[in-house]
């Protein structure tokens, strides 16, 4: 089933698909086995103009549509989900807050470096005791002269070990209740007191960099403040609402690869004298895998299209994200099942896809949070 793409979107999809399947996919197993961060691959993507895919052309970016961005994420995730999320975090939450809320001076200083891939972006929100509950963050930025002093520890930071610029959420008014009093800051890696920790030993996405990041008395100039003081929660919600499309697309790409690899396997695996694809029970499983994946693909592109049109209701992004992530987990589970014993080994990609899929139900807002968003909109709350 095809979503109506523009000529530019179709060309971007074709270009990324060719690179992902000829260059990235053959490396994916080795990257996963050795936890090798895709630094070389990131620079290849920079040469394709994708590190600045959501940055305006005036600042060196490509400024492609959100539909095209979703297609990029799908194609990369089909080949390697770790590379997909590395680029996705950089290009979305690592750069779009500057595009949306930055001053002209901030845009001129940082966006060209992010667009070229000279600096990699990261987004620092979660903390050891603050995940879904953003209001519980303890990282604080206190006024010092005309600038700020930043202290706190962030957790689960994608690109944390390699990023050159961090977008950091911190409390600037400790007396404010709930999510009030949060502000965003731009923190370059080279400042004294910025301390990325060791990488997490993860179940999946083992080639991506996920680390804690400690900010220990980091002195920031006044121009490090991103957006309005105390309006950080609003800025975060705008950013996360849009970035959920990228995670949905990543999940779709994982599911698409699971379908493709499983169809191929069932055609060549012979049991009881025939390929297992000849058995109706197998055919029904394949049909359901394809059906759910296509539904997620269309939900994701619909959400991206609405964002391109300038209005993305939160429940639309949440529906795409929860449906696609749960589909990816379900489809990869069936892929392992249909591969039988082979699916439980590292000789086939099914087990890696299964491991990579799970986290899409967790980061950028858990499935439970997405359902809360959807229900509240239904109930008018």
């Amino acid at each position: 089933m095809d979503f109506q793409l523009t000529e530019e979107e179709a060309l971007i999809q074709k270009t990324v698909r060719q690179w992902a399947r000829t260059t990235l996919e053959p490396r994916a197993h080795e990257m996963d086995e050795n936890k090798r961060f895709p630094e070389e691959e990131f620079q290849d993507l920079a040469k394709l103009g994708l590190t600045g895919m959501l940055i305006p052309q005036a600042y060196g970016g490509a400024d492609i549509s959100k539909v095209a961005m979703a297609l990029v994420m799908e194609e990369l995730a089909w080949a390697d989900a770790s590379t997909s999320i590395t680029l996705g975090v950089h290009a979305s939450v690592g750069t779009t807050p500057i595009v949306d809320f930055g001053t002209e001076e901030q845009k001129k200083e940082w966006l060209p470096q992010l667009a070229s891939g000279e600096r990699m972006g990261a987004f620092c929100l979660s903390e050891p005791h603050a995940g879904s509950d953003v209001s519980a963050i303890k990282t604080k930025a206190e006024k010092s002269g005309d600038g700020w002093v930043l202290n706190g520890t962030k957790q689960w930071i994608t690109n944390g070990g390699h990023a050159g610029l961090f977008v950091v959420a911190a409390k600037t008014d400790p007396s404010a209740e709930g999510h009030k009093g949060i502000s965003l800051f731009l923190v370059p890696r080279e400042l004294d007191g910025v301390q990325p920790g060791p990488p997490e030993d993860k179940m999946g996405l083992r080639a991506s960099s996920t680390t804690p990041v400690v900010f220990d008395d980091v002195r920031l100039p006044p121009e490090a403040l991103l957006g309005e003081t105390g309006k950080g929660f609003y800025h975060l919600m705008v950013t996360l609402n849009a970035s959920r499309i990228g995670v949905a697309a990543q999940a779709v790409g994982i599911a698409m690869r699971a379908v493709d690899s499983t169809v191929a396997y069932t055609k060549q695996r012979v049991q009881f004298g025939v390929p297992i694809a000849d058995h109706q029970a197998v055919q029904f499983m394949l049909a359901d895998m394809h059906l759910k994946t296509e539904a997620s693909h269309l939900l994701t592109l619909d959400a991206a299209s609405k964002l391109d049109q300038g209005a993305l209701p939160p429940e639309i992004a949440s529906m795409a994200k929860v449906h696609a992530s749960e589909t990816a987990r379900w489809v990869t589970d069936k892929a392992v099942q249909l591969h039988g014993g082979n699916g439980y080994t590292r000789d086939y990609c099914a087990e890696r896809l299964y491991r990579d899929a799970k986290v899409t139900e967790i980061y950028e807002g858990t499935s439970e949070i997405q359902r809360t968003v959807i229900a509240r909109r239904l109930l008018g709350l």
Side-chain angles (χ1 to χ4, degrees):
M1 189 179 297
D2 291 327
F3 189 88
Q4 190 63 44
L5 305 179
T6 66
E7 288 186 12
E8 180 182 47
E9 289 164 350
L11 178 59
I12 290 169
Q13 182 187 43
K14 180 180 179 181
T15 301
V16 177
R17 177 175 294 180
Q18 181 177 8
W19 179 83
R21 300 194 182 193
T22 59
T23 301
L24 181 59
E25 193 281 330
R27 303 173 182 175
H29 177 75
E30 174 270 323
M31 290 165 62
D32 176 76
E33 286 286 299
N34 297 315
K35 304 178 188 177
R36 179 177 69 79
F37 184 73
E39 193 154 6
E40 177 185 347
E41 291 73 19
F42 184 80
Q43 292 306 318
D44 285 348
L45 293 169
K47 293 174 184 176
L48 291 173
L50 296 176
T51 48
M53 61 182 171
L54 299 181
I55 294 174
Q57 295 179 7
Y59 306 102
D63 198 20
I64 66 176
S65 71
K66 304 305 188 295
V67 168
M69 177 275 296
L71 296 171
V72 169
M73 292 293 289
E74 285 183 0
E75 295 300 331
L76 293 178
W78 187 98
D80 177 52
S82 290
T83 301
S84 177
I85 198 60
T86 297
L87 178 70
V89 164
H90 162 83
S92 60
V93 293
T95 64
T96 56
I98 307 174
V99 174
D100 292 338
F101 308 112
T103 64
E104 186 61 25
E105 290 73 21
Q106 287 172 328
K107 292 177 182 180
K108 287 180 178 178
E109 180 175 7
W110 299 115
L111 291 180
Q113 298 180 55
L114 293 165
S116 68
E118 178 184 346
R119 284 185 189 260
M120 184 180 294
F123 184 68
C124 297
L125 176 57
S126 295
E127 299 182 3
H129 302 287
S132 297
D133 183 7
V134 175
S135 66
I137 67 171
K138 296 180 180 179
T139 297
K140 61 182 179 179
E142 299 176 305
K143 288 292 290 182
S144 176
D146 62 352
W148 305 84
V149 177
L150 180 68
N151 281 284
T153 299
K154 296 296 183 177
Q155 190 76 23
W156 315 117
I157 306 306
T158 300
N159 297 344
H162 296 263
L165 184 67
F166 299 93
V167 177
V168 183
K171 277 276 191 178
T172 48
D173 183 1
S175 65
E177 296 182 357
H179 57 73
K180 298 177 181 178
I182 294 174
S183 303
L184 300 185
F185 294 89
L186 295 173
V187 184
R189 182 190 185 93
E190 62 269 20
L191 291 184
D192 290 341
V194 179
Q195 304 169 13
E200 302 288 351
D201 189 9
K202 306 189 300 288
M203 168 183 170
L205 300 183
R206 290 165 62 82
S208 75
S209 170
T210 306
T211 73
V213 181
V214 176
F215 300 97
D216 183 13
D217 282 339
V218 180
R219 296 195 169 274
L220 301 174
E223 57 269 23
L225 177 68
L226 179 62
E228 297 182 55
T229 307
K231 299 291 185 181
F233 182 79
Y234 165 75
H235 301 331
L236 289 169
M237 292 304 101
V238 171
T239 299
L240 291 172
N241 188 44
S243 71
R244 283 169 182 155
I245 296 172
V247 175
Q250 179 195 9
V252 170
I254 294 171
M256 286 178 168
R257 177 64 183 282
V259 172
D260 290 346
S261 61
T262 306
V263 167
Y265 181 82
T266 59
K267 285 181 177 180
Q268 60 88 23
R269 173 65 170 171
V270 174
Q271 291 289 277
F272 304 104
V274 297
I276 62 173
D278 287 359
H279 299 296
Q280 191 176 62
V282 171
Q283 293 173 3
F284 282 178
M285 291 173 70
L286 293 173
D288 284 341
M289 291 166 68
H290 179 63
L291 172 65
K292 292 176 182 289
T293 300
E294 284 297 303
S296 293
H297 172 65
L298 293 175
L299 273 172
T300 300
L301 293 188
D302 178 65
S305 178
K306 285 181 169 57
L307 187 57
D308 280 328
Q309 294 164 22
L312 175 62
E315 73 274 17
I316 299 299
S318 290
M319 285 193 294
K321 202 267 186 184
V322 72
H323 194 281
S325 61
E326 292 187 355
T327 290
R329 188 251 307 150
W330 186 89
V331 167
T332 56
D333 175 75
K334 297 307 176 189
V336 171
Q337 187 70 20
L338 287 172
H339 278 74
N342 286 327
Y344 204 65
T345 71
R346 295 184 186 269
D347 295 332
Y348 291 78
C349 70
E351 69 87 29
R352 171 168 54 86
L353 296 172
Y354 182 78
R355 290 186 286 107
D356 287 347
K358 178 57 191 175
V359 75
T360 63
E361 295 182 293
I362 298 172
Y363 58 19
E364 298 292 317
T366 65
S367 294
E368 291 73 26
I369 291 295
Q370 306 312 319
R371 285 186 165 86
T372 298
V373 172
I374 296 165
R376 289 180 66 84
R377 298 291 286 196
L378 282 173
L379 297 169
L381 299 176

